[in-house]
Amino acid sequence: MGRVEGKVAFITGAARGQGRSHAIRLAEEGADIIAVDLCAPVRGVPYAASTPDDLAETVKLVEALDRRIIATQVDTRDRDALKSAIDSGVAELGKLDIVVANAGICIVGGWDQITPEVWQDTLDVNLTGTWNTVQLAAPHLIANGGGSVIMTSSAAGLKGLPFLTPYVASKFGVTGLGKAFAHELAEHHIRVNTLHPTGVETPMGGGDGTAAFGELLAAHPNLGGMLANSLPIETTQPVDQSNAVLFLASDEARYVTALSMTVDAGNTQY
């Protein structure tokens, strides 16, 4: 038996990167998947957006594991479309046990370079989209008698990393939101935890996504140490984060709630 055998998981941002990795890892351990992703650009984001073909590849990889998956192109900022995708997925797969609120964006820039549009879009995707996901999915967990919610925050949701003011604000918001949801949903036997990665080898976490750091660190070298990990690595792999998601989703973590779980190579530990 797999560690989440017979469970159904809803995952946002599932077309590639961490979201795809979470879908595959949970499917490997027996879960069926409801997957959504925007699959389109967000203004100001410097790295290439995921595509419908990326989401189709996630479907192919999950089905190769002999698990069911329903995938929809949805913007988590669009409550009506998101609710429809959740409700339709649950109707087809029969229930909901796990929610992984993973979708997010990151735009690097100095405090005086951030525009109102970058600020608002980052908060809308990272914080409001996460709130939408949990609030709209929770009734299905309640109807099923309980479940597990994992919300992707960041090392930047525990400490104020430089050159990321809107990202830091949004991820601190996710951290607090997770704790608030954990206490209110506990009476329904729903556990809510936040995940705090350091850098992850994804389009957002490398290449064009982090290129702006070079010039900023050259101008402000005294801040560079804040980005360093204690373990001698620069980034983790998506599966490193997915293994944590799997634990938090499984019955092994049945009494783990309101936890800020770090998979950060020591980045946030002082």
Side-chain angles (χ1 to χ4, degrees), residues 157-181:
L158 294 174
K159 77 178 201 182
L161 292 174
F163 317 127
L164 293 168
T165 47
Y167 187 77
V168 167
S170 69
K171 292 301 187 177
F172 263 81
V174 169
T175 303
L177 190 63
K179 294 187 185 300
F181 270 130

PDB file of all heavy atoms in Angstrom, residues 157-181:
ATOM      1  N   GLY A 157       9.227  33.417   3.759  1.00  0.00           N
ATOM      2  CA  GLY A 157       8.062  33.548   4.617  1.00  0.00           C
ATOM      3  C   GLY A 157       8.411  33.420   6.076  1.00  0.00           C
ATOM      4  O   GLY A 157       7.524  33.463   6.942  1.00  0.00           O
ATOM      5  N   LEU A 158       9.712  33.279   6.370  1.00  0.00           N
ATOM      6  CA  LEU A 158      10.187  33.190   7.748  1.00  0.00           C
ATOM      7  C   LEU A 158      11.260  34.227   8.062  1.00  0.00           C
ATOM      8  O   LEU A 158      11.508  34.532   9.223  1.00  0.00           O
ATOM      9  CB  LEU A 158      10.742  31.789   8.034  1.00  0.00           C
ATOM     10  CG  LEU A 158       9.734  30.639   8.004  1.00  0.00           C
ATOM     11  CD1 LEU A 158      10.471  29.311   8.163  1.00  0.00           C
ATOM     12  CD2 LEU A 158       8.678  30.804   9.087  1.00  0.00           C
ATOM     13  N   LYS A 159      11.928  34.731   7.030  1.00  0.00           N
ATOM     14  CA  LYS A 159      12.927  35.773   7.242  1.00  0.00           C
ATOM     15  C   LYS A 159      12.898  36.742   6.061  1.00  0.00           C
ATOM     16  O   LYS A 159      12.532  36.368   4.940  1.00  0.00           O
ATOM     17  CB  LYS A 159      14.322  35.189   7.445  1.00  0.00           C
ATOM     18  CG  LYS A 159      15.049  34.717   6.204  1.00  0.00           C
ATOM     19  CD  LYS A 159      16.440  34.202   6.578  1.00  0.00           C
ATOM     20  CE  LYS A 159      17.384  34.208   5.401  1.00  0.00           C
ATOM     21  NZ  LYS A 159      18.717  33.680   5.739  1.00  0.00           N
ATOM     22  N   GLY A 160      13.289  37.983   6.306  1.00  0.00           N
ATOM     23  CA  GLY A 160      13.151  39.024   5.300  1.00  0.00           C
ATOM     24  C   GLY A 160      14.270  39.030   4.290  1.00  0.00           C
ATOM     25  O   GLY A 160      15.178  39.861   4.364  1.00  0.00           O
ATOM     26  N   LEU A 161      14.226  38.141   3.314  1.00  0.00           N
ATOM     27  CA  LEU A 161      15.269  38.092   2.294  1.00  0.00           C
ATOM     28  C   LEU A 161      15.276  39.372   1.463  1.00  0.00           C
ATOM     29  O   LEU A 161      14.218  39.947   1.184  1.00  0.00           O
ATOM     30  CB  LEU A 161      15.059  36.879   1.392  1.00  0.00           C
ATOM     31  CG  LEU A 161      15.284  35.516   2.055  1.00  0.00           C
ATOM     32  CD1 LEU A 161      14.898  34.400   1.107  1.00  0.00           C
ATOM     33  CD2 LEU A 161      16.732  35.358   2.502  1.00  0.00           C
ATOM     34  N   PRO A 162      16.456  39.830   1.042  1.00  0.00           N
ATOM     35  CA  PRO A 162      16.541  41.098   0.300  1.00  0.00           C
ATOM     36  C   PRO A 162      16.110  40.960  -1.154  1.00  0.00           C
ATOM     37  O   PRO A 162      16.150  39.875  -1.733  1.00  0.00           O
ATOM     38  CB  PRO A 162      18.031  41.438   0.392  1.00  0.00           C
ATOM     39  CG  PRO A 162      18.712  40.109   0.492  1.00  0.00           C
ATOM     40  CD  PRO A 162      17.784  39.238   1.298  1.00  0.00           C
ATOM     41  N   PHE A 163      15.713  42.093  -1.731  1.00  0.00           N
ATOM     42  CA  PHE A 163      15.385  42.240  -3.146  1.00  0.00           C
ATOM     43  C   PHE A 163      14.110  41.482  -3.526  1.00  0.00           C
ATOM     44  O   PHE A 163      13.901  41.142  -4.679  1.00  0.00           O
ATOM     45  CB  PHE A 163      16.549  41.790  -4.047  1.00  0.00           C
ATOM     46  CG  PHE A 163      17.895  42.268  -3.560  1.00  0.00           C
ATOM     47  CD1 PHE A 163      18.945  41.383  -3.369  1.00  0.00           C
ATOM     48  CD2 PHE A 163      18.106  43.618  -3.269  1.00  0.00           C
ATOM     49  CE1 PHE A 163      20.179  41.815  -2.908  1.00  0.00           C
ATOM     50  CE2 PHE A 163      19.342  44.062  -2.817  1.00  0.00           C
ATOM     51  CZ  PHE A 163      20.392  43.164  -2.620  1.00  0.00           C
ATOM     52  N   LEU A 164      13.273  41.223  -2.532  1.00  0.00           N
ATOM     53  CA  LEU A 164      12.064  40.423  -2.756  1.00  0.00           C
ATOM     54  C   LEU A 164      10.880  40.983  -1.957  1.00  0.00           C
ATOM     55  O   LEU A 164      10.057  40.216  -1.450  1.00  0.00           O
ATOM     56  CB  LEU A 164      12.307  38.969  -2.321  1.00  0.00           C
ATOM     57  CG  LEU A 164      13.312  38.142  -3.114  1.00  0.00           C
ATOM     58  CD1 LEU A 164      13.640  36.846  -2.383  1.00  0.00           C
ATOM     59  CD2 LEU A 164      12.772  37.837  -4.509  1.00  0.00           C
ATOM     60  N   THR A 165      10.757  42.305  -1.845  1.00  0.00           N
ATOM     61  CA  THR A 165       9.770  42.840  -0.907  1.00  0.00           C
ATOM     62  C   THR A 165       8.347  42.325  -1.129  1.00  0.00           C
ATOM     63  O   THR A 165       7.702  41.894  -0.165  1.00  0.00           O
ATOM     64  CB  THR A 165       9.792  44.383  -0.895  1.00  0.00           C
ATOM     65  OG1 THR A 165       9.790  44.876  -2.242  1.00  0.00           O
ATOM     66  CG2 THR A 165      11.004  44.910  -0.160  1.00  0.00           C
ATOM     67  N   PRO A 166       7.795  42.305  -2.359  1.00  0.00           N
ATOM     68  CA  PRO A 166       6.433  41.784  -2.490  1.00  0.00           C
ATOM     69  C   PRO A 166       6.348  40.284  -2.243  1.00  0.00           C
ATOM     70  O   PRO A 166       5.363  39.790  -1.679  1.00  0.00           O
ATOM     71  CB  PRO A 166       6.042  42.141  -3.928  1.00  0.00           C
ATOM     72  CG  PRO A 166       7.316  42.383  -4.642  1.00  0.00           C
ATOM     73  CD  PRO A 166       8.299  42.850  -3.623  1.00  0.00           C
ATOM     74  N   TYR A 167       7.385  39.560  -2.651  1.00  0.00           N
ATOM     75  CA  TYR A 167       7.415  38.116  -2.429  1.00  0.00           C
ATOM     76  C   TYR A 167       7.470  37.811  -0.935  1.00  0.00           C
ATOM     77  O   TYR A 167       6.728  36.958  -0.430  1.00  0.00           O
ATOM     78  CB  TYR A 167       8.626  37.530  -3.155  1.00  0.00           C
ATOM     79  CG  TYR A 167       8.693  36.016  -3.147  1.00  0.00           C
ATOM     80  CD1 TYR A 167       7.885  35.269  -3.987  1.00  0.00           C
ATOM     81  CD2 TYR A 167       9.601  35.348  -2.332  1.00  0.00           C
ATOM     82  CE1 TYR A 167       7.954  33.880  -3.999  1.00  0.00           C
ATOM     83  CE2 TYR A 167       9.687  33.972  -2.336  1.00  0.00           C
ATOM     84  CZ  TYR A 167       8.858  33.232  -3.167  1.00  0.00           C
ATOM     85  OH  TYR A 167       8.936  31.865  -3.174  1.00  0.00           O
ATOM     86  N   VAL A 168       8.332  38.514  -0.220  1.00  0.00           N
ATOM     87  CA  VAL A 168       8.438  38.319   1.232  1.00  0.00           C
ATOM     88  C   VAL A 168       7.101  38.626   1.903  1.00  0.00           C
ATOM     89  O   VAL A 168       6.615  37.860   2.746  1.00  0.00           O
ATOM     90  CB  VAL A 168       9.566  39.191   1.817  1.00  0.00           C
ATOM     91  CG1 VAL A 168       9.486  39.239   3.340  1.00  0.00           C
ATOM     92  CG2 VAL A 168      10.935  38.652   1.378  1.00  0.00           C
ATOM     93  N   ALA A 169       6.492  39.744   1.540  1.00  0.00           N
ATOM     94  CA  ALA A 169       5.207  40.105   2.143  1.00  0.00           C
ATOM     95  C   ALA A 169       4.152  39.038   1.876  1.00  0.00           C
ATOM     96  O   ALA A 169       3.391  38.656   2.781  1.00  0.00           O
ATOM     97  CB  ALA A 169       4.744  41.453   1.592  1.00  0.00           C
ATOM     98  N   SER A 170       4.104  38.549   0.640  1.00  0.00           N
ATOM     99  CA  SER A 170       3.096  37.540   0.296  1.00  0.00           C
ATOM    100  C   SER A 170       3.355  36.227   1.026  1.00  0.00           C
ATOM    101  O   SER A 170       2.412  35.574   1.492  1.00  0.00           O
ATOM    102  CB  SER A 170       3.081  37.305  -1.216  1.00  0.00           C
ATOM    103  OG  SER A 170       4.253  36.666  -1.677  1.00  0.00           O
ATOM    104  N   LYS A 171       4.617  35.828   1.145  1.00  0.00           N
ATOM    105  CA  LYS A 171       4.920  34.543   1.770  1.00  0.00           C
ATOM    106  C   LYS A 171       4.807  34.596   3.291  1.00  0.00           C
ATOM    107  O   LYS A 171       4.437  33.602   3.921  1.00  0.00           O
ATOM    108  CB  LYS A 171       6.303  34.062   1.326  1.00  0.00           C
ATOM    109  CG  LYS A 171       6.376  33.695  -0.149  1.00  0.00           C
ATOM    110  CD  LYS A 171       5.385  32.596  -0.528  1.00  0.00           C
ATOM    111  CE  LYS A 171       5.581  32.109  -1.949  1.00  0.00           C
ATOM    112  NZ  LYS A 171       4.668  30.989  -2.290  1.00  0.00           N
ATOM    113  N   PHE A 172       5.118  35.739   3.918  1.00  0.00           N
ATOM    114  CA  PHE A 172       4.799  35.885   5.333  1.00  0.00           C
ATOM    115  C   PHE A 172       3.288  35.798   5.524  1.00  0.00           C
ATOM    116  O   PHE A 172       2.802  35.237   6.518  1.00  0.00           O
ATOM    117  CB  PHE A 172       5.334  37.218   5.876  1.00  0.00           C
ATOM    118  CG  PHE A 172       6.657  37.115   6.571  1.00  0.00           C
ATOM    119  CD1 PHE A 172       7.838  37.069   5.835  1.00  0.00           C
ATOM    120  CD2 PHE A 172       6.745  37.067   7.947  1.00  0.00           C
ATOM    121  CE1 PHE A 172       9.074  36.979   6.463  1.00  0.00           C
ATOM    122  CE2 PHE A 172       7.970  36.976   8.584  1.00  0.00           C
ATOM    123  CZ  PHE A 172       9.142  36.930   7.848  1.00  0.00           C
ATOM    124  N   GLY A 173       2.528  36.362   4.588  1.00  0.00           N
ATOM    125  CA  GLY A 173       1.082  36.249   4.641  1.00  0.00           C
ATOM    126  C   GLY A 173       0.611  34.812   4.569  1.00  0.00           C
ATOM    127  O   GLY A 173      -0.297  34.405   5.310  1.00  0.00           O
ATOM    128  N   VAL A 174       1.210  34.011   3.681  1.00  0.00           N
ATOM    129  CA  VAL A 174       0.863  32.595   3.579  1.00  0.00           C
ATOM    130  C   VAL A 174       1.167  31.871   4.888  1.00  0.00           C
ATOM    131  O   VAL A 174       0.376  31.032   5.351  1.00  0.00           O
ATOM    132  CB  VAL A 174       1.603  31.936   2.402  1.00  0.00           C
ATOM    133  CG1 VAL A 174       1.455  30.419   2.442  1.00  0.00           C
ATOM    134  CG2 VAL A 174       1.083  32.482   1.079  1.00  0.00           C
ATOM    135  N   THR A 175       2.304  32.194   5.498  1.00  0.00           N
ATOM    136  CA  THR A 175       2.669  31.560   6.770  1.00  0.00           C
ATOM    137  C   THR A 175       1.601  31.837   7.829  1.00  0.00           C
ATOM    138  O   THR A 175       1.138  30.920   8.523  1.00  0.00           O
ATOM    139  CB  THR A 175       4.034  32.077   7.250  1.00  0.00           C
ATOM    140  OG1 THR A 175       5.010  31.836   6.231  1.00  0.00           O
ATOM    141  CG2 THR A 175       4.460  31.392   8.539  1.00  0.00           C
ATOM    142  N   GLY A 176       1.204  33.089   7.962  1.00  0.00           N
ATOM    143  CA  GLY A 176       0.180  33.424   8.939  1.00  0.00           C
ATOM    144  C   GLY A 176      -1.172  32.834   8.591  1.00  0.00           C
ATOM    145  O   GLY A 176      -1.908  32.363   9.474  1.00  0.00           O
ATOM    146  N   LEU A 177      -1.509  32.853   7.314  1.00  0.00           N
ATOM    147  CA  LEU A 177      -2.768  32.283   6.865  1.00  0.00           C
ATOM    148  C   LEU A 177      -2.844  30.798   7.204  1.00  0.00           C
ATOM    149  O   LEU A 177      -3.891  30.287   7.637  1.00  0.00           O
ATOM    150  CB  LEU A 177      -2.895  32.490   5.357  1.00  0.00           C
ATOM    151  CG  LEU A 177      -4.227  32.176   4.692  1.00  0.00           C
ATOM    152  CD1 LEU A 177      -5.328  33.084   5.225  1.00  0.00           C
ATOM    153  CD2 LEU A 177      -4.100  32.334   3.176  1.00  0.00           C
ATOM    154  N   GLY A 178      -1.729  30.100   7.036  1.00  0.00           N
ATOM    155  CA  GLY A 178      -1.699  28.682   7.359  1.00  0.00           C
ATOM    156  C   GLY A 178      -1.999  28.421   8.825  1.00  0.00           C
ATOM    157  O   GLY A 178      -2.743  27.495   9.174  1.00  0.00           O
ATOM    158  N   LYS A 179      -1.427  29.225   9.693  1.00  0.00           N
ATOM    159  CA  LYS A 179      -1.664  29.030  11.129  1.00  0.00           C
ATOM    160  C   LYS A 179      -3.111  29.356  11.489  1.00  0.00           C
ATOM    161  O   LYS A 179      -3.733  28.667  12.310  1.00  0.00           O
ATOM    162  CB  LYS A 179      -0.684  29.869  11.935  1.00  0.00           C
ATOM    163  CG  LYS A 179       0.764  29.402  11.771  1.00  0.00           C
ATOM    164  CD  LYS A 179       1.717  30.119  12.693  1.00  0.00           C
ATOM    165  CE  LYS A 179       3.155  29.683  12.393  1.00  0.00           C
ATOM    166  NZ  LYS A 179       3.380  28.242  12.563  1.00  0.00           N
ATOM    167  N   ALA A 180      -3.678  30.407  10.879  1.00  0.00           N
ATOM    168  CA  ALA A 180      -5.064  30.760  11.159  1.00  0.00           C
ATOM    169  C   ALA A 180      -6.016  29.658  10.680  1.00  0.00           C
ATOM    170  O   ALA A 180      -6.926  29.247  11.412  1.00  0.00           O
ATOM    171  CB  ALA A 180      -5.406  32.092  10.496  1.00  0.00           C
ATOM    172  N   PHE A 181      -5.816  29.182   9.456  1.00  0.00           N
ATOM    173  CA  PHE A 181      -6.637  28.089   8.943  1.00  0.00           C
ATOM    174  C   PHE A 181      -6.482  26.836   9.805  1.00  0.00           C
ATOM    175  O   PHE A 181      -7.454  26.110  10.051  1.00  0.00           O
ATOM    176  CB  PHE A 181      -6.253  27.761   7.503  1.00  0.00           C
ATOM    177  CG  PHE A 181      -7.006  28.526   6.452  1.00  0.00           C
ATOM    178  CD1 PHE A 181      -6.320  29.169   5.425  1.00  0.00           C
ATOM    179  CD2 PHE A 181      -8.384  28.585   6.458  1.00  0.00           C
ATOM    180  CE1 PHE A 181      -7.008  29.862   4.429  1.00  0.00           C
ATOM    181  CE2 PHE A 181      -9.086  29.274   5.467  1.00  0.00           C
ATOM    182  CZ  PHE A 181      -8.393  29.919   4.450  1.00  0.00           C
TER     183      PHE A 181
END
